[in-house]
Amino acid sequence: MTESVTTTCGYCGVGCRLEAHRREDDGIASISPALDGPANLGHTCLKGRFAHRFARHRERLTTPLIRDERGGPARAASWEEAIERIAAELGRVRAAHGPDAIAGLASSRATNEDCYAMARMMRAAIGTNNIDNCSRVCHSPTSFALRKALGLSGATGSFSDFDHTGATLLIGANPTEGHPVVGARIKQATLRGMRLVTIDPRRIELADYGVLHLAPRAGTNAAVVLGIAHVLARDGFVDHAFVAARTDGWAAFAELLPAYAPAAVEAISGVPAADLERAAHVYGEASEACIAWGLGVTEHKHGSEVVQLICDVALMTGKIGRPGSALLPLRGQNNVQGSSDMGALPDTYTAYRSVADEAVASSFEDAWGVPLSRTKGYTIPQMFDAAVAGELKAMYVFGEDVAQTDPNTAHVVHALESLDFLVCQDIFETETTKYADVILPASSFLEKSGTFTNAERRVQLVAPAIDPPGEARTDFEIIKAVSRALGHELPWATPADAMDEIAALTPDWAGISHARLGRRGLQWPVAPDGSDAPILYERAFAREGGRAHFAALPYKAPGDAADDEFPLILVTGRRLQHYNAGTMTRRTGNVELVDADVLEIHPDDAARLWISDGDRISVRSRVGRIELPAQVTDRIEPGHVFTTFHFPETRTNLLVGASADVNTSCPEYKVVAVDVRPIGEQPARVPALA
Amino acid sequence: MSAPALTVTVDGASVEVPAGATVLDAARAAGRWVPTLCFDARQAPFGACRACLVGVEGAAAPLPACTTPCRDGMAIDTEDAAGRRVAHAVVELVLSELPRAPAPHTELAQVARRLGVGEPRWPGETHAPAPPDVRHPYLAFQHELCISCGRCVRACDELQGTFALTATGRGFGANVAAGLDAGFRDSACVACGACADTCPTDAITEVSLLP
């Protein structure tokens, strides 16, 4: 070991600070936790600590690749040729079909500076607002709802709130696997006496540490949250002074509540009425309480509405804006917060300011020296629809494996095949790069500098511990080179320069600079003097008039439902050992711990279907079919099955249809009706007699 | 909100610490070194190893710095002769139980160097030499280097909350085990690495860092 570098983990949204120790002969020797990391407090999980060997894996892309014909073999090419080809093809598409025939995806795995550069390239060099990022398919409903209810798109507090709160409602999240370091923190809090209520169709590990576990039917979160609000209102937990002084819309919300008596909610969700009452009391009786949630809330047809209802619960009880009383969305990827903050979205510039806002748009026009479109661009699902319809001709996909992770895989592949031209910028070949005309070899988080923003809105420095392999370049350099070839110079020598531009153009980021971030980062909004905001809304909300808004939204049924043909509900998620598409973790020792996706099924359902533990089974939905081994476990509720999407051999997302959140088009990954049976057994033409 | 600070003297220098601070906290705040083996700031003080004995004015004997709370006006001598003599003996005894010296970068080796502990004066029985247990892809046991400080067990309990590790055996057989000595892989271990991170001897380390 020669040198050590302090950086920020590139896996999940917790934002652990890490010490990366470089080996003398190149590569990472080991990684240890930074003792002063504010989010991890000297801890890490097996992904951040051990799963780093992908960075020097022999399958890393080390040179640009070009396909001379679509679907043909890829050949190695020089950077000059690759970038010339991109500029020529994108130029041709723009000339023939206009700038809106081109779309780009920034990456929630990449830095703020990379995402800002990508957004600026699409807007200024291409001339379109067709820019989106993968937060579309995870926490876009959270972002939408928090902005609508409270004003800002971010957690209202910090992970440290778990350390001094009396109670937490944890809804649709499995932190000990998805966000292990926060999971450990919540677990420690419960061991010290924090009262935890878990709400999930799976009996997650933390359920064993809580005072109560509710297992609603998938897709009925809204009813459960409304039921909790009903009991809080009925039993005198409303903070009327807070509601009167700091909110509006209470009357309409209160009118909704009589319909959600516990018995009525039990009928919808299957959660026993008595448990619902207890859950409300656990939250209401604590003087300080938090609500945390994950993709089990958002990835639904009405996910954005459920997040608004969660805000309602915090607002009616006044449990917000104080230490220990916070709303804490557990953001999925390392920079899912930042990629959206940076305006890598089809409708907003940095800090969620509308592309249609004249003052904002002209401030960017002045800075960038080009006219900018005022028209909202395509979201990711709209991009695929437009590609299939022939309206979108070219895409530039940076750091996302859409052909594995996005829903309705067959449709995504059809879209990619329909394009005239596809650029992928990634660290490995993926399912998506199979359809690319040009593949650019990029850099992992261990090889670049910049910043990530964690789930606490904390902007933290990322520093290179090793160099990109071969001819691979940093994403920042690549995007600069492509933008220059397209005729728009991105005028920054380093990511720190890009951050200075972001700060100059974004009031909430005004006080941020790389120099100022130091070892502990800063939580936006950051004032020009550098003071940051661990707690939001202590005095006022960030909406007009400073008041939060109650949303009066009734429960609505999910987009899919079990029926005779598809009698079980599939829920998808992650495991501790792997990360999303597994591009990185499948290329580390983690595969020795877990080497396949499995389908969790309840013993009752398994017995009825003649399925034994370890059997290879077929899972069929309305749109696709996959095969994988069964794991019989009572962690999952009867009537539900669960699997992950880490292995391309499985391609779980072939099963997920087009149903999506009504406000943000975040896919409904969490409710898919399926038919499960042993391999080789044909579906009966006539339903079996009951 | 916060309780009033206390003022203590460490080796003659006055230092202010928050209420609830330990003597070790005060010594570190004053920039003074106190040898420790079983201490990790991420864990509750344990007070098992007795390497951190310091002199406290008015106390009948040296006190363990890691578990002794500060009192206002306390005078602390980090280089108390009796305390240091004990620390030296503790470290020497610990080293005498090992069949080989710990690697130079380990905390135990560093503490021994700084205290001037050389080759232990007591040859004889040691932990049984054993090849490393590398059944897990990342985490390795070198049981022969375990000094039973309990840091790994407490890291698993207090930092991670998985409770996969446990102290086992007695005398020269005293050691640490994952689960019912099943190895990391077949225990409840979630491979967070907190045990390897805190281990002061590399009795638990990374497979790729084994000598």
Side-chain angles (χ1 to χ4, degrees):
Chain A
M1 276 185 240
T2 49
E3 274 172 76
S4 297
V5 166
T6 309
T7 187
T8 304
C9 185
Y11 280 104
C12 80
V14 173
C16 293
R17 293 283 285 162
L18 303 176
E19 309 283 0
H21 310 290
R22 188 193 160 99
R23 246 190 352 230
E24 278 172 45
D25 59 344
D26 188 43
I28 299 286
S30 72
I31 289 179
S32 57
L35 298 179
D36 58 353
N40 55 314
L41 307 176
H43 195 30
T44 61
C45 76
L46 91 162
K47 284 173 282 210
R49 185 181 169 91
F50 293 124
H52 52 74
R53 252 167 269 162
F54 73 89
R56 284 295 178 267
H57 194 277
R58 60 187 148 73
E59 289 167 5
R60 274 293 295 270
L61 290 167
T62 55
T63 175
L65 300 173
I66 286 182
R67 280 193 176 84
D68 291 312
E69 50 185 308
R70 297 224 92 206
R75 62 169 172 85
S78 69
W79 275 103
E80 293 68 35
E81 186 188 3
I83 285 172
E84 255 169 50
R85 174 90 186 272
I86 294 168
E89 293 284 345
L90 294 184
R92 187 186 55 73
V93 170
R94 185 171 51 180
H97 306 283
D100 292 334
I102 302 172
L105 295 188
S107 178
S108 299
R109 312 306 309 281
T111 64
N112 286 317
E113 294 78 1
D114 294 342
C115 290
Y116 181 78
M118 183 73 188
R120 177 166 168 179
M121 179 176 84
M122 293 308 296
R123 292 196 158 105
I126 305 275
T128 178
N129 282 318
N130 291 337
I131 170 80
D132 206 353
N133 74 80
C134 32
S135 73
R136 176 68 50 202
V137 301
C138 68
H139 262 295
S140 54
T142 293
S143 172
F144 171 89
L146 291 177
R147 276 187 276 160
K148 234 173 147 77
L150 313 174
L152 297 173
S153 172
T156 71
S158 308
F159 297 140
S160 60
D161 287 305
F162 290 124
D163 301 340
H164 38 78
T165 190
T168 294
L169 303 182
L170 179 68
I171 314 177
N174 185 9
T176 55
E177 303 212 40
H179 302 83
V181 169
V182 163
R185 197 160 182 171
I186 295 173
K187 199 188 271 185
Q188 293 299 336
T190 66
L191 295 171
R192 288 193 303 267
M194 180 188 81
R195 306 181 81 206
L196 175 69
V197 177
T198 49
I199 305 178
D200 200 292
R202 284 175 86 210
R203 196 174 166 86
I204 57 169
E205 186 189 2
L206 283 175
D208 299 344
Y209 292 78
V211 294
L212 185 62
H213 175 68
L214 312 184
R217 291 186 192 109
T220 63
N221 287 329
V224 172
V225 177
L226 283 161
I228 289 171
H230 172 101
V231 176
L232 289 168
R234 186 195 69 192
D235 293 353
F237 292 111
V238 177
D239 183 343
H240 288 288
F242 181 92
V243 169
R246 301 198 45 192
T247 70
D248 55 40
W250 163 247
F253 179 63
E255 259 174 50
L256 205 62
L257 296 180
Y260 296 94
V265 171
E266 176 173 344
I268 297 170
S269 68
V271 173
D275 286 353
L276 208 68
E277 307 231 3
R278 277 182 65 205
H281 277 257
V282 167
Y283 181 79
E285 285 166 10
S287 54
E288 307 297 340
C290 291
I291 309 178
W293 67 94
L295 305 184
V297 164
T298 60
E299 288 177 350
H300 287 277
K301 185 170 180 189
H302 303 289
S304 56
E305 299 192 351
V306 177
V307 180
Q308 287 173 270
L309 293 171
I310 288 171
C311 295
D312 289 346
V313 168
L315 291 171
M316 71 192 285
T317 52
K319 289 185 176 28
I320 191 166
R322 297 191 304 260
S325 282
L327 292 173
L328 300 165
L330 299 174
R331 309 299 303 254
Q333 296 177 316
N334 55 321
N335 201 32
V336 74
Q337 176 77 50
S339 56
S340 295
D341 295 342
M342 289 299 94
L345 292 171
D347 54 344
T348 61
Y349 288 104
T350 53
Y352 309 93
R353 293 166 300 153
S354 170
V355 293
D357 184 313
E358 197 48 48
V360 173
S362 48
S363 75
F364 280 89
E365 282 178 335
D366 291 346
W368 296 348
V370 289
L372 295 167
S373 167
R374 304 292 194 268
T375 320
K376 184 173 167 287
Y378 293 131
T379 63
I380 294 178
Q382 289 169 343
M383 290 176 193
F384 298 135
D385 294 345
V388 169
E391 284 153 24
L392 187 71
K393 299 291 186 187
M395 279 186 81
Y396 189 131
V397 177
F398 155 30
E400 186 175 356
D401 186 4
V402 291
Q404 185 173 345
T405 58
D406 281 36
N408 210 353
T409 305
H411 178 65
V412 173
V413 168
H414 185 193
L416 298 177
E417 286 175 338
S418 304
L419 295 169
D420 288 353
F421 186 66
L422 173 64
V423 183
C424 284
Q425 178 173 321
D426 218 313
I427 61 173
F428 289 104
E429 292 199 67
T430 65
E431 291 301 307
T432 307
T433 62
K434 289 179 182 168
Y435 307 94
D437 299 275
V438 178
I439 304 169
L440 301 175
S443 48
S444 76
F445 76 94
L446 293 162
E447 299 151 0
K448 56 167 73 173
S449 64
T451 54
F452 295 148
T453 309
N454 81 349
E456 312 168 293
R457 298 169 282 105
R458 191 186 300 277
V459 185
Q460 304 189 106
L461 284 174
V462 178
I466 51 178
D467 297 320
E471 288 176 48
R473 294 185 183 173
T474 66
D475 295 282
F476 191 74
E477 288 167 12
I478 297 170
I479 295 164
K480 271 177 51 178
V482 174
S483 192
R484 180 184 307 125
L486 289 167
H488 182 78
E489 185 77 29
L490 300 178
W492 321 300
T494 64
D497 299 339
M499 182 55 79
D500 291 342
E501 177 178 313
I502 295 162
L505 288 168
T506 314
D508 282 351
W509 288 58
I512 297 183
S513 69
H514 281 200
R516 222 175 221 165
L517 290 173
R519 286 186 64 89
R520 297 179 56 84
L522 292 167
Q523 289 171 278
W524 67 250
V526 180
D529 67 2
S531 56
D532 72 340
I535 300 173
L536 297 178
Y537 319 128
E538 284 174 289
R539 278 173 291 282
F541 290 94
R543 297 178 77 255
E544 228 168 86
R547 297 168 81 87
H549 180 71
F550 278 97
L553 297 161
Y555 162 74
K556 294 165 201 133
D560 203 354
D563 55 24
D564 286 347
E565 192 183 356
F566 299 101
L568 296 173
I569 292 295
L570 170 73
V571 178
T572 65
R574 293 207 302 242
R575 293 205 192 282
L576 170 67
Q577 293 82 0
H578 288 286
Y579 196 79
N580 287 3
T583 315
M584 291 149 65
T585 51
R586 280 186 286 106
R587 292 179 172 96
T588 68
N590 291 30
V591 284
E592 293 181 41
L593 298 168
V594 170
D595 63 0
D597 295 315
V598 296
L599 187 84
E600 290 183 7
I601 184 166
H602 190 273
D604 294 354
D605 290 322
R608 196 167 42 77
L609 295 166
W610 292 53
I611 289 169
S612 306
D613 196 56
D615 280 0
R616 206 163 166 79
I617 51 170
S618 152
V619 183
R620 194 168 56 92
S621 75
R622 295 178 211 283
V623 298
R625 181 180 168 280
I626 63 169
E627 295 180 1
L628 75 173
Q631 183 180 60
V632 179
T633 169
D634 57 8
R635 285 265 168 200
I636 184 89
E637 285 294 297
H640 295 73
V641 289
F642 173 84
T643 191
T644 49
F645 52 98
H646 300 313
F647 289 86
E649 304 87 278
T650 314
R651 305 208 73 182
T652 304
N653 287 313
L654 282 167
L655 300 174
V656 181
S659 179
D661 178 58
V662 289
N663 291 308
T664 66
S665 51
C666 175
E668 191 170 39
Y669 289 109
K670 303 293 188 185
V671 187
V672 178
V674 292
D675 171 66
V676 175
R677 62 186 61 235
I679 295 269
E681 191 179 304
Q682 296 301 314
R685 287 177 197 283
V686 183
L689 293 175
Chain B
M1 242 170 44
S2 56
L6 311 173
T7 306
V8 300
T9 315
V10 179
D11 299 337
S14 176
V15 58
E16 211 165 85
V17 293
T22 63
V23 169
L24 182 61
D25 293 332
R28 290 188 171 179
R32 301 295 295 168
W33 181 70
V34 173
T36 58
L37 286 181
C38 74
F39 180 81
D40 182 323
R42 293 165 286 190
Q43 304 170 3
F46 197 48
C49 73
R50 310 323 256 190
C52 69
L53 294 185
V54 296
V56 171
E57 198 176 79
L63 296 173
C66 69
T67 54
T68 304
C70 286
R71 276 180 291 104
D72 201 36
M74 199 181 236
I76 299 159
D77 174 10
T78 65
E79 296 187 343
D80 176 83
R84 274 298 158 87
R85 217 165 41 240
V86 174
H88 192 285
V90 162
V91 172
E92 192 175 0
L93 275 166
V94 162
L95 287 169
S96 77
E97 294 181 345
L98 307 182
R100 62 183 163 95
H105 70 266
T106 61
E107 223 175 292
L108 174 57
Q110 288 175 10
V111 169
R113 264 202 309 279
R114 191 142 178 192
L115 285 174
V117 180
E119 190 70 16
R121 289 166 287 168
W122 306 292
E125 195 165 356
T126 64
H127 285 329
D133 175 346
V134 292
R135 287 176 283 176
H136 189 275
Y138 296 125
L139 289 164
F141 278 120
Q142 303 187 88
H143 283 300
E144 62 191 14
L145 294 174
C146 178
I147 61 169
S148 295
C149 63
R151 281 167 64 167
C152 54
V153 177
R154 287 177 286 132
C156 196
D157 297 357
E158 297 175 26
L159 196 58
Q160 170 57 30
T162 292
F163 305 93
L165 293 172
T166 187
T168 64
R170 289 176 174 278
F172 287 102
N175 222 293
V176 60
L180 297 171
D181 216 358
F184 283 109
R185 195 175 179 136
D186 296 319
S187 72
C189 172
V190 295
C192 69
C195 51
D197 197 61
T198 191
C199 180
T201 68
D202 281 359
I204 299 177
T205 186
E206 286 188 47
V207 171
S208 63
L209 299 178
L210 282 170

